[in-house]
Amino acid sequence: MRIPRILTALALAASALTALASADKPVIGLSLDTLKEERWQRDRDNFIAEVERLGGSVVVQSANSDDTRQVRDIESLITRGVDVLVVVPHNGEAMTRAMRSAKEAGIPVIAYDRLILNGELAAYVTFDNVKVGELQAQWVVDRLPADKVARLVRIYGAPTDNNAKLFKQGQDNVLDPLISSGRVKVVAEDWALDWKPENAKKIMNAAITRIGHEFDAVLVSNDGTAGGAIQSLIEEGLAGKLIVTGQDADLAACQRIMRGTQSMTVFKPVSKLATLAAQIAVASAKGNLPKAETTLNNGFKEVPCFFEKIVAVDKDNMMETVVAAGFHPAGQIQ
Ligand code: GAL
């Protein structure tokens, strides 16, 4: 049966209108690893606010650190017909199937904060994660006792998180020459599964069981795990007597820094990162992905990258960084 030409034309017009409508009101799918850490709640809220300010809407899924669930989350967002996907992978190497489904559906994918490996990506929006590690290690090195070999305990992040490897790489950039010269000795090191504070506490307990109190600093990769390690130091009567690093400027960490049980953190203005990612996602939904200054190879292609700036924070510059940026009110930190 021949379909009258007018109906075909109407159907075409309708789908063009829908495309126009979705470009005007893009729907962005946001797939998160977890909402466990304080920062991810901020990322989510700032991202939604900016997409809505730009006339779009956001559908959020959080995978609770489960790869199978995250792939399922992404596939359900694809089925719902989102225009763009923004993903914080739990494991950057476990997203291949989801990336293939997105590609088949013609949906651009933006990796947020953590890189997705071996998959088609439209863009990667993050901080300079190697520099995070360099800032942490340099802060420690600048304050190590000069007259003796400095003994370090190192607690890395989640082995599934590509960022954790970049943080370690940055720390190694600073430490390796000092380790080779014998100025610094790593007396214990391990990876904290899923960035869980309780796993960091176990690592710290195990180190103290093995080496006693024979160390001068604990190089920890983020504030959540620093909190776990410090719990162990408190139980050993060592809290405030040793250098402990962190990252993210969590409220609890900023309070610890002002109290002296944690020494420093790395402030990452996630509101800026989320706003930038929202602008790139909405532009991408309209087919105008902005030009990136640089690219990173994710094992599949050179991915256009957008970076936001970071700063090392301790009690001496807390007010002019974290507080001045409105990240935490002074009254909650002091
Ligand atoms: C990293 C992120 C850090 C930290 C950690 C735990 O990928 O860059 O800011 O919070 O995850 O969620």
Side-chain angles (χ1 to χ4, degrees), residues 52-179:
E52 289 178 352
R53 190 185 70 77
L54 296 167
S57 61
V58 181
V59 184
V60 182
Q61 298 266 17
S62 177
N64 206 15
S65 298
D66 179 327
D67 296 329
T68 315
R69 170 140 171 215
Q70 188 158 31
V71 170
R72 247 199 343 260
D73 287 350
I74 292 171
E75 287 179 343
S76 81
L77 290 166
I78 292 169
T79 312
R80 289 176 74 148
V82 298
D83 298 293
V84 174
L85 279 162
V86 174
V87 180
V88 182
H90 168 249
N91 179 345
E93 294 179 276
M95 295 292 108
T96 315
R97 193 183 100 199
M99 293 301 107
R100 203 176 311 121
S101 310
K103 188 168 183 192
E104 280 156 14
I107 299 175
V109 179
I110 295 170
Y112 183 83
D113 193 83
R114 297 173 182 171
L115 188 59
I116 294 172
L117 302 166
N118 315 321
E120 175 63 61
L121 280 180
Y124 177 34
V125 184
T126 190
F127 298 100
D128 184 339
N129 296 302
V130 172
K131 190 167 174 213
V132 168
E134 290 168 353
L135 290 176
Q136 291 169 326
Q138 195 59 52
W139 199 96
V140 173
V141 165
D142 294 346
R143 291 162 183 80
L144 286 177
D147 57 351
K148 63 176 187 159
V149 175
R151 299 154 303 172
L152 282 193
V153 172
R154 300 181 69 180
I155 303 180
Y156 310 120
T160 50
D161 181 356
N162 188 61
N163 279 356
K165 295 163 189 153
L166 298 174
F167 303 146
K168 180 181 184 300
Q169 189 192 318
Q171 293 169 1
D172 293 345
N173 292 349
V174 173
L175 293 177
D176 285 355
L178 299 168
I179 292 169

Side-chain angles (χ1 to χ4, degrees), residues 15-37:
S15 61
L17 276 175
T18 330
L20 265 180
S22 84
D24 262 1
K25 292 190 177 3
V27 180
I28 315 291
L30 178 62
S31 165
L32 296 169
D33 160 19
T34 176
L35 282 166
K36 198 179 63 233
E37 276 95 21

Side-chain angles (χ1 to χ4, degrees), residues 37 39-40 113-114 161 163 167 195 222 247-248 268:
E37 276 95 21
R39 71 149 290 182
W40 301 116
D113 193 83
R114 297 173 182 171
D161 181 356
N163 279 356
F167 303 146
W195 290 100
N222 86 332
Q247 170 190 184
D248 293 330
K268 309 191 335 176

